[in-house]
C-alpha cells in the first residue's frame, strides 16, 4: 500500500500523455482527458478533416446560408469565370493554411529552444568565447537513428501505459521497459547488477549508450518504486531520457557512463545489511535519483575555472558549490518539465526537491572534510540512529559521496580506465587555460601532473580516509573489505607507475631472492 495513498483522491488514475486516442471509448467516458477530446461535428461538418478542406466546407456553407454565389440557387447560373475564381480561392486558402502551420511550427520550435536553454545552463560546451559572450546559442541537433529508436521505444512504453492505466505489471520483470536490442547479454548483466565487479563500460556498449536509462528503469522496478509512488511509466522514461541526454557525451569523465557507474555503486551500498532494512522507499527513491543526476549538464571544467572566467553560473550561485547547485537546479527543472511528480501533493514534491538538493550538494569535493569530520564524530560517539529520518539522510549523503569517488575501489582494469578519463578531462581544461593565457589549475598541466601522480594523491587525500570510515560504519561487511583491498592495491600500482625505478628495483630484488633460494636448495641436495 503506497504511503502517500491518503493524499490522493479515490478517483486518482494515471492518464496517458495524449499521444493518441482510443476510438472504442465513448465520449462520456472518464478516460477522455483534457488532451483527448472525442470527434466533433458542427452543422453536419466533420472537424476531423484537414484544415484546407474544412475551410472550404465552412466557406461554402456560409455562402449558401447568406445566398452567396455558392448557394444552390445561384450555382447553376455561375459562369466558368466564377468557377475558376472559386478554384483560385481554394488554392489561396491552402497556401494560407500551410503558411500558418509552418509559422506555428517555427514558433513551437523556438519556444522549445528557449525552454531548453533555460534548463541547460552551461550548454553549449564550455569555451571561453562562449563564456565571455553568453548570448551565443548552440546549434540545433539533427535527429539520428538512435533518437528515432528512442522515440519508438517511447511509443512502446506509451502503449503499455495506456493499456495498464499508467502502471507497470506487478508480476513481470523489468525488461518490459527495454527494447529488443537490449535483451540477451544486457539482460544477463542486469541480473548481476548488485555485484561489485559490474563492468559499466561493457554494459553501456551493450545498451547502445543507454546504460543510465536502462539501469534506472531496472532499479526502480526492483524496489517497486513505480507502484509505491504511483508513477506513470511514460513520464518516468521521459525523465530518465532527459537526464541521460543532458550529460555531455564529449566529456571524457563527467558523462552519462559516470552517472550510471555511481548509480550502480549506490545500489550496492543500499544493499548493505546495516542500511537495507532501515531505508524507506522515499530514501531509496532519493538516493537513486540523486546518483543518476548528481553531475547532470557538467561542462567538463571545475569550479575555479568557472569563477576565473566569470561564467554566469559562478555569478548566479555566488562562487559557492557552483556546479553542484547547477546539477540540482537542472534536476528539479527536468522533474517539473517531465511532470513525473505532478500527481503528488505540493508539499511532498517540495520536500523531495529540497532533499535532492541536499544530497547533490553533498558531492562538492570542497566540503569533504566537513562531512568526514561529522561522520567520524558520529562513529566515535556511536550515536547514529537510522530510525531517525535526519540520520538516514546523512548516511545517504555519505553513501553518495562514496559512490561518487569509488573508482579507486574498483578492480584495476576498471579503476585504471576511470583514472585515465578524469585526468584527460583535467588536461583538456589545462590546455584551454594555456590557450587563453590563464593560470593553469592544479593537476591540469599534462607536462607536470601525470596520471599516476594525480591518482595516487587523490587516493591518499580523498578516497582512503572516506572509505576507512565507511568500513567502520558497515563493519562487518564483505563489500567494504573488498573495496579497501582494491583501494590499497590500486594505490600501490599507481605509485609503482609513478616511480618506474622502484618497480625495476623490486623486480631485481625479487629475482635475486629467487636465485639465492635456488642456490640454497642446490647446496642442501646430498
Amino acid at each position: 500500500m503506497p504511503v502517500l495513498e491518503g493524499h490522493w483522491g479515490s478517483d486518482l488514475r494515471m492518464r496517458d500523455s495524449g499521444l493518441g486516442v482510443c476510438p472504442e471509448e465513448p465520449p462520456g467516458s472518464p478516460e477522455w482527458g483534457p488532451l483527448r477530446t472525442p470527434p466533433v461535428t458542427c452543422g453536419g461538418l466533420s472537424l476531423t478533416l484537414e484544415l484546407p478542406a474544412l475551410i472550404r466546407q465552412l466557406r461554402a456553407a456560409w455562402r449558401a446560408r447568406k445566398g452567396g454565389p455558392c448557394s444552390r440557387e445561384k450555382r447553376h447560373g455561375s459562369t466558368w469565370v466564377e468557377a475558376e475564381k472559386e478554384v483560385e480561392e481554394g488554392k489561396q486558402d491552402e497556401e494560407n493554411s500551410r503558411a500558418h502551420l509552418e509559422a506555428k511550427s517555427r514558433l513551437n520550435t523556438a519556444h522549445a529552444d528557449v525552454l531548453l536553454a533555460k534548463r541547460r545552463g552551461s550548454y553549449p560546451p564550455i569555451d571561453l568565447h562562449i563564456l565571455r559572450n553568453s548570448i551565443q546559442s548552440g546549434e540545433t541537433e539533427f535527429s539520428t537513428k538512435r533518437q528515432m529508436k528512442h522515440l519508438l521505444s517511447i511509443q512502446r512504453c506509451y502503449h503499455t501505459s495506456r493499456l495498464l492505466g499508467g502502471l507497470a505489471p506487478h508480476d513481470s520483470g523489468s525488461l518490459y521497459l527495454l527494447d529488443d536490442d537490449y535483451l540477451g547479454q544486457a539482460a544477463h548483466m542486469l541480473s548481476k547488477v548488485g555485484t561489485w565487479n559490474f563492468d559499466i563500460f561493457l554494459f553501456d556498449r551493450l545498451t547502445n549508450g543507454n546504460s543510465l536509462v536502462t539501469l534506472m528503469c531496472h532499479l526502480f522496478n526492483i524496489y517497486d518504486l513505480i507502484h509505491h509512488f504511483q508513477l506513470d511509466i511514460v513520464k518516468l522514461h521521459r525523465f530518465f531520457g532527459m537526464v541521460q541526454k543532458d550529460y555531455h557525451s564529449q566529456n571524457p569523465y563527467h558523462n552519462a557512463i559516470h552517472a550510471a557507474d555511481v548509480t550502480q555503486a549506490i545500489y550496492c551500498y543500499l544493499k548493505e545489511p546495516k542500511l537495507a532494512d532501515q531505508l524507506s522507499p522515499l530514501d531509496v527513491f532519493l538516493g537513486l535519483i540523486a546518483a543518476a543526476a548528481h553531475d547532470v549538464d557538467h561542462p567538463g571544467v571545475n569550479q575555479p575555472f568557472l569563477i576565473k572566467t566569470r561564467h554566469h553560473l559562478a555569478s548566479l550561485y555566488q562562487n559557492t558549490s557552483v556546479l553542484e547547485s547547477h546539477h540540482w537546479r537542472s534536476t528539479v527543472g527536468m522533474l517539473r518539465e517531465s511532470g513525473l511528480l505532478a500527481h503528488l501533493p505540493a508539499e511532498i514534491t517540495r520536500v523531495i526537491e529540497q532533499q535532492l538538493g541536499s544530497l547533490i550538494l553533498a558531492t562538492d569535493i570542497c566540503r569533504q572534510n566537513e562531512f568526514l569530520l561529522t561522520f567520524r564524530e558520529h562513529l566515535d560517539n556511536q550515536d547514529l540512529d537510522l530510525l531517525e529520518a535526519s540520520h538516514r539522510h546523512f548516511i545517504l549523503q555519505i553513501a553518495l559521496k562514496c559512490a561518487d569517488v569509488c573508482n579507486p575501489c574498483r578492480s584495476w582494469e576498471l579503476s585504471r580506465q576511470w583514472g585515465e578519463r578524469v585526468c584527460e578531462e583535467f588536461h583538456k581544461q589545462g590546455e584551454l587555460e594555456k590557450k587563453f593565457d590563464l593560470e593553469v589549475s592544479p593537476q591540469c598541466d599534462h607536462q607536470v601532473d601525470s596520471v599516476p601522480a594525480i591518482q595516487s594523491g587523490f587516493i591518499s587525500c580523498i578516497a582512503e580516509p572516506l572509505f576507512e570510515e565507511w568500513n567502520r560504519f558497515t563493519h562487518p561487511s564483505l563489500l567494504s573489505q573488498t573495496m579497501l583491498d582494491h583501494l590499497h592495491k590500486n594505490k600501490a600500482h599507481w605509485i609503482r607507475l609513478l616511480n618506474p625505478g622502484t618497480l625495476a628495483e623490486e623486480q631485481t630484488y625479487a629475482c635475486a631472492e629467487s636465485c639465492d633460494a635456488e642456490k640454497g636448495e642446490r647446496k642442501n641436495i646430498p
Side-chain angles (χ1 to χ4, degrees), residues 340-365:
L340 181 62
L341 306 179
H343 62 288
L344 300 180
E347 59 178 274
I348 294 180
T349 303
R350 185 166 53 252
V351 169
I352 290 176
E353 292 177 353
Q354 291 174 349
Q355 293 195 357
L356 279 175
S358 177
L359 290 173
I360 294 175
L361 289 174
T363 61
D364 187 357
I365 201 67

Side-chain angles (χ1 to χ4, degrees), residues 106-123 137 238 242 246 297 326 329-338:
R106 287 193 299 269
L107 181 62
N108 292 338
T109 303
H111 182 62
D113 291 341
V114 171
L115 292 177
L116 190 64
K118 287 182 178 179
R119 179 161 53 84
R120 295 183 179 179
S122 68
Y123 188 87
S137 59
R238 183 185 300 130
M242 291 165 62
D246 266 17
D297 197 32
H326 176 60
R329 295 297 183 183
S330 298
T331 304
V332 171
M334 287 183 286
L335 279 173
R336 295 179 179 180
E337 186 176 339
S338 64

Side-chain angles (χ1 to χ4, degrees), residues 240-307:
F240 292 154
M242 291 165 62
V243 171
Q244 178 176 272
K245 191 173 183 180
D246 266 17
Y247 278 95
H248 299 186
S249 58
Q250 69 271 17
N251 290 345
Y253 182 81
H254 290 103
N255 49 40
I257 306 177
H258 166 66
D261 183 66
V262 173
T263 304
Q264 191 271 336
I266 199 75
Y267 171 62
C268 293
Y269 299 159
L270 296 180
K271 290 174 55 185
E272 288 281 16
K274 283 197 173 181
L275 283 176
D277 297 333
Q278 305 295 333
L279 296 176
S280 68
L282 180 59
D283 296 327
V284 176
F285 177 87
L286 291 171
L288 294 179
I289 293 292
H294 79 285
D295 273 333
V296 69
D297 197 32
H298 196 290
V301 294
N302 57 18
Q303 175 174 294
F305 183 90
L306 298 179
I307 293 175

Side-chain angles (χ1 to χ4, degrees), residues 173-175 178 182-200 202-203 206-207 214-215 217-219 221-222 264 267-268 271:
S174 65
L175 294 181
L178 307 182
Y182 300 160
L183 301 178
Q185 296 184 55
H188 177 69
M189 289 194 68
L190 281 176
S191 65
K192 301 181 179 181
V193 69
T195 59
W196 189 245
N197 61 349
F198 191 84
D199 189 343
I200 196 65
L202 175 60
F203 185 69
L206 292 176
T207 56
T214 307
L215 182 61
C217 289
H218 181 72
L219 296 181
N221 189 74
I222 285 179
Q264 191 271 336
Y267 171 62
C268 293
K271 290 174 55 185

